[in-house]
Every structure is written in structure tokens, then in C-alpha cells.
Amino acid sequence: MNNKTAAPVSVIGLGLMGQALAGAFLKAGHPTTVWNRTTSKADQLVAQGAHLAPTVGDALKTSPLTIICVTEYQAMRELLDASDIALDGTTLINLTSGDSAQAREAARWAEQRGARYLDGAIMAVPSGIGTAEAVILHSGPQSDFEAHKSTLDALGTVTYLGADHGLASLYDGAGLVMMWSILNAWLQGTAMLRTVGVDAATYAPFAKQIAAGVAEWLPGHAEQIDNGSFPAEVSTLETDVRAMAHLIEESEAAGVNAELPRLIKAMADRSIAAGHGGEQYPVLIEEFSKPRAD
Ligand code: NAP
């Protein structure tokens, strides 16, 4: 698509993700300038119409908006800290993965150098970029996000979370712990069932149904957490803990790893010891909110 009114954009960092980002901007008709330490990674994009900037500074100067996506924050600083690189007046969106402290520190650093800065997190794989499935989170000044939203829309479902620059990284972490926890739970069940000849493909649809059912509980459980009140509407923690004990026994008897079931029960046991046995599962937020298990 060639859209002559589309705003120009620069992309610094053309790894797997940066190439996908630049490719999506090109596809949406944005005049796209690119730069990468290893120049050859720009070849395909240049063949598709991207302009290759000779230096990082040129990439920043060419467009009002620059997206940077490199391995880590330190790499971004190494690239942009050179004294001859001007950031004044630039809007820089950093889609490099990191934590919230790094995001806030990068915001201070960029703003001291005269840039407008948004921090972002990509919750997608490169092949999803440019489709609605690609969720891209942003935090920082809302007016800067709004000013460039129509350009960012080329990347997928772009979302603004709030003024605190650390929010995108925090949501990213929250999304990742959800993903790994669901995968770990599924792997635990798969390991148990495989000991009796049930293969992963047979268990997967059942596991998917359970995960979707549990997801339905979240709004109600969130209400209990936000109200700080955990009436046992469905079951008490004491009832749940008995089932957790069976899960540990079952895992041990099957000869599979029981670390995850033990961790699940250990947290519930501590909550019961603190007097919450008659309350409902979300009361465990109190255990999750402590820095240490004591
Ligand atoms: P990648 O393919 O390994 O690319 C890394 C990029 O960083 C390359 O452009 C590399 O340049 C550049 N780089 C690293 N150190 C540098 C330095 N010191 N100076 C200049 N450039 C440097 O990684 P990726 O998959 O594109 O990931 C990039 C970011 O996106 C990461 O923070 C990652 O966590 C995040 N992300 C990736 C995915 C994914 O599925 N790939 C999903 C979500 C988020 P060279 O080409 O010269 O080495």
C-alpha cells in the first residue's frame, strides 16, 4: 500500500523484531528509514523501499518519530549516548524489553537530552507484527502517544497504559508470568498423564477448556482482591489444600517432578497458617504481595 500522507518513521535495530516493525511500517505506506549495526540486515527492507540511514544520528534526524528495538537497554544507551547524536525534538519510542526501573531511568536520560520518550513492550512474535494479534503496550506522556498513534497503528493493537514510564514493562512482566504459569501447569498435567500413555495432544483440548474456564473467574476474583474481602463462595482454601496434597502424592507416585505442586501447596499452607483457611483462593494475594516467604 502506498499512502502518501503517512507520517515518516525511523527504526533503529533490525534484529528479528526490528525487521518486522520496519516491514509493517513500509507495508502501511510510511516512509521508513532504518539503521542497524550490521548493515546487511537492512538489505531486504531497502529492497522493499526503506531508506538506509548512514548513521544512527541520521536515522534520528530523518523522521519525527524513531522506534528503537535492540537486545537490551544498555545497547540502546551505547548507541545513542554519543555526544554528537542529537535527540532534541525527537520522539523516541523504545520497544526494547527490560524492566520498569530501566524504563524510568531511560525516560529521565532521554528527556534530559531533549527527547520526548515513550517506553513500550511488544507482546507478540515477529510474524504477528502488523496484525491485530500483536499487542504493543506504551507508557509515558499521553500526548506523545496520541501524536503518533496513527503511525503506531501499523504495528498491531497499540495500547496506552498511563504516564508512568514503567507501566509497559510491568504489564509485560505480568503477561509473561501468566503465560509461563499456564504453560507450566499444562506441562505438569502432561507429564503425569504421559506416565499412563495419554499423549500431549490428547490432553491439550481438555487443558485448554480448563484454562478458559479459570480465565472466566478472574473478574469476580479481582473484585474480591480490590475489596479486600474473600468470602468462600465456591470453596475454602482448606478444601483446596486437600486437593493440592493429592496432586503432590499423585505426582510423586507417577515419578514425575512435584516441585510445582509443592510450591502451590506451600503458599496456601502459609495463608492457612495466617488464619485464612475459611476464605477463598484470591486471599493468596497477601502471600504474593510479600517480598519473602516468611
Ligand atoms: P535479535 O534478533 O537478537 O536482534 C537484536 C538487535 O539488537 C540487532 O539489531 C542487534 O544488532 C542489536 N544490538 C544488540 N546489541 C547492540 C549494540 N551494542 N549496539 C547496536 N546494536 C545492538 O533480537 P530481537 O528478537 O529483534 O529482539 C529485540 C528486542 O525485542 C529484545 O529486547 C526482545 O526481548 C524484544 N522482543 C522480541 C520478541 C521476539 O519474538 N523476537 C518478542 C517480544 C519482544 P546486530 O544485528 O548488529 O547484531
Side-chain angles (χ1 to χ4, degrees), residues 14-17 36-38 41 69-71 75 78 97 122 124 126:
L14 301 175
L16 292 170
M17 186 51 85
N36 194 56
R37 179 179 61 179
T38 308
K41 289 191 189 168
C69 185
V70 289
T71 312
E78 280 168 22
S97 302
I122 302 171

Side-chain angles (χ1 to χ4, degrees), residues 26-250:
L26 280 171
K27 202 169 162 206
H30 293 276
T32 306
T33 298
V34 294
W35 184 90
N36 194 56
R37 179 179 61 179
T38 308
T39 310
S40 58
K41 289 191 189 168
D43 289 351
Q44 217 181 336
L45 292 160
V46 169
Q48 289 164 26
H51 163 67
L52 176 64
T55 66
V56 181
D58 287 310
L60 285 156
K61 262 187 278 175
T62 308
S63 313
L65 173 66
T66 296
I67 309 292
I68 184 160
C69 185
V70 289
T71 312
E72 53 196 357
Y73 277 63
Q74 185 56 31
M76 176 188 74
R77 291 288 292 270
E78 280 168 22
L79 263 180
L80 303 188
D81 253 337
S83 56
D84 58 338
I85 292 180
L87 292 181
D88 313 27
T90 301
T91 298
L92 185 63
I93 301 187
N94 181 19
L95 296 183
T96 301
S97 302
D99 62 37
S100 59
Q102 288 176 315
R104 293 185 191 113
E105 158 60 19
R108 280 192 292 276
W109 162 83
E111 284 164 5
Q112 272 163 12
R113 299 196 53 191
R116 297 174 179 283
Y117 180 87
L118 287 162
D119 205 89
I122 302 171
M123 309 203 70
V125 293
S127 58
I129 298 297
T131 72
E133 279 78 52
V135 173
I136 306 186
L137 309 172
H138 298 82
S139 48
Q142 185 164 8
S143 55
D144 293 332
F145 174 76
E146 298 297 344
H148 296 286
K149 179 164 185 308
S150 61
T151 302
L152 297 171
D153 279 339
L155 301 180
T157 303
V158 296
T159 306
Y160 175 74
L161 299 169
D164 174 355
H165 284 95
L167 276 171
S169 292
L170 280 165
Y171 266 78
D172 191 28
L176 289 172
V177 74
M178 183 67 102
M179 179 184 84
W180 286 320
S181 298
I182 291 170
L183 288 175
N184 282 350
W186 174 64
L187 291 170
Q188 179 75 35
T190 301
M192 288 165 64
L193 286 166
R194 272 165 30 119
T195 65
V196 292
V198 178
D199 63 14
T202 303
Y203 172 50
F206 179 82
K208 188 176 164 187
Q209 201 179 354
I210 299 282
V214 173
E216 292 296 318
W217 302 349
L218 300 186
H221 281 8
E223 214 175 302
Q224 289 201 337
I225 291 171
D226 290 341
N227 291 335
S229 161
F230 308 94
E233 291 154 355
V234 178
S235 71
T236 63
L237 202 51
E238 264 160 2
T239 302
D240 293 340
V241 153
R242 281 192 287 277
M244 291 171 192
H246 295 315
L247 175 61
I248 296 171
E249 286 158 20
E250 195 74 84

